[in-house]
């Protein structure tokens, strides 16, 4: 069995998922949908990517604390 990773634009995502979901279940398994990750480690890694962009001057901890106050 092979595993592949795709980066897909939003405008074709639904079409690709539809196609994959209609293949035989015993031959194709969707292992991960990176848009549906709910753990803090993924969120923290995405914050780090944003911080390296230089757009925000907030610290990593400030961003996490703001998110926790708002959503947790």
């Amino acid at each position: 069995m092979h595993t592949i990773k795709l980066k897909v634009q939003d405008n074709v995502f639904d079409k690709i998922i539809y196609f994959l979901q209609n293949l035989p279940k015993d031959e194709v398994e969707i292992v991960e949908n990176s848009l549906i990750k709910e753990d803090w480690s993924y969120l923290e890694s995405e914050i780090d990517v944003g911080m390296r962009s230089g757009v925000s001057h907030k610290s990593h901890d400030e961003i996490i604390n703001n998110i926790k106050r708002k959503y947790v």
Side-chain angles (χ1 to χ4, degrees), residues 8-22:
V8 179
Q9 293 295 324
D10 290 340
N11 60 328
V12 295
F13 177 77
D14 291 336
K15 294 173 186 171
I16 291 173
I17 292 297
Y18 176 81
F19 169 74
L20 293 173
Q21 289 174 336
N22 285 288

Side-chain angles (χ1 to χ4, degrees), residues 1-3 26-29:
M1 180 171 274
H2 301 274
T3 301
D26 60 334
E27 294 181 25
V28 175
E29 175 186 359

